[in-house]
Amino acid sequence: MAKNKKYVRRYDDVKISMVPGWMDKVMTVCKYFLYIVPFLCCSIAMLVEGTPTSQSYVLTAVWCLSLLKLIELTEK
């Protein structure tokens, strides 16, 4: 090896992604869907207040919010 040869890091190298391009778009749509569903579930639960199904709507809203938090934690 030559002593006077300088090795520098390649910054503009080929970027290889293991995730297909369409998957980012699908995940964005799913995240927006998960943001909207809790509001819809709580609205329906308020309309059918006093019935046994109103509890399931609230639980679905809580489940969606917890799923959103998990997605945010995995993205960091």
Side-chain angles (χ1 to χ4, degrees), residues 51-69:
T51 61
T53 58
S54 65
Q55 244 184 354
S56 67
Y57 284 115
V58 173
L59 288 175
T60 302
V62 170
W63 180 79
C64 287
L65 290 173
S66 64
L67 188 60
L68 274 171
K69 191 62 180 174

Side-chain angles (χ1 to χ4, degrees), residues 1-2 11 14 23-25 31-32 37 49 51 53-54 57 62 68 74 76:
M1 280 198 152
Y11 289 105
V14 178
M23 192 169 208
D24 289 333
K25 294 176 182 106
K31 276 195 282 186
Y32 284 127
V37 166
E49 191 175 336
T51 61
T53 58
S54 65
Y57 284 115
V62 170
L68 274 171
T74 57
K76 289 184 181 179

Side-chain angles (χ1 to χ4, degrees), residues 37-52:
V37 166
F39 295 111
L40 291 175
C41 287
C42 287
S43 299
I44 293 171
M46 285 181 0
L47 289 174
V48 293
E49 191 175 336
T51 61

